[in-house]
Amino acid sequence: MKYSRLAFLVIGIVNLILFVFLAVVAILAGDTGLVSQNLPCLAMAVMAFCLSYLFPQFIQKDERMKLIRHKGIFFSFFAFLTYSIVLTTLLQTNVIQLPGSEAVSILTTLMICTVFISWVVLSKIY
């Protein structure tokens, strides 16, 4: 299968439209829990847009891209720890009340977005 920037861009647009549609339907239905359940669609859109931007650079597979990938995962690990600590603290102190599935959905979305956005930022730096 051939991958290209255009393919990632189309996938990102489709996922973004899907997220917006499902979020609007959930809000109109009055169920905000469904909005957080659809957050992975938003994360997939962010991932596709980032991959569309990074596609020409990732094709090269040189030392620079390996460095960007490793540093991105390294920074994302600490961001995930921070997200987990903050979410656990908010849940334990009853500041927010979320079912487990919504909490996992939020963490998954944050992690996917953090990894790919950090790659974009690091590709600008290096």
Side-chain angles (χ1 to χ4, degrees), residues 31-61:
D31 189 6
T32 57
L34 287 178
V35 175
S36 63
Q37 293 296 324
N38 296 325
L39 284 175
C41 285
L42 179 64
M44 293 300 127
V46 169
M47 180 182 72
F49 288 136
C50 289
L51 287 174
S52 173
Y53 175 78
L54 294 169
F55 182 76
Q57 299 167 17
F58 275 8
I59 289 297
Q60 297 170 359
K61 295 184 181 181

Side-chain angles (χ1 to χ4, degrees), residues 4-109:
S4 69
R5 290 182 90 165
L6 182 63
F8 285 119
L9 188 63
V10 169
I11 291 169
I13 291 170
V14 168
N15 276 322
L16 187 61
I17 291 170
L18 179 65
F19 169 75
V20 170
F21 174 74
L22 292 174
V24 167
V25 169
I27 290 170
L28 291 177
D31 189 6
T32 57
L34 287 178
V35 175
S36 63
Q37 293 296 324
N38 296 325
L39 284 175
C41 285
L42 179 64
M44 293 300 127
V46 169
M47 180 182 72
F49 288 136
C50 289
L51 287 174
S52 173
Y53 175 78
L54 294 169
F55 182 76
Q57 299 167 17
F58 275 8
I59 289 297
Q60 297 170 359
K61 295 184 181 181
D62 58 354
E63 290 298 318
R64 177 179 162 266
M65 287 317 297
K66 288 181 184 178
L67 176 70
I68 289 171
R69 285 183 184 145
H70 287 283
K71 284 195 176 208
I73 297 296
F74 178 75
F75 293 140
S76 298
F77 171 73
F78 289 107
F80 182 70
L81 285 177
T82 304
Y83 299 150
S84 299
I85 290 169
V86 168
L87 187 61
T88 302
T89 303
L90 292 175
L91 288 171
Q92 292 295 324
T93 58
N94 289 326
V95 173
I96 59 172
Q97 295 180 356
L98 293 174
S101 61
E102 288 182 20
V104 169
S105 178
I106 291 169
L107 280 176
T108 302
T109 301

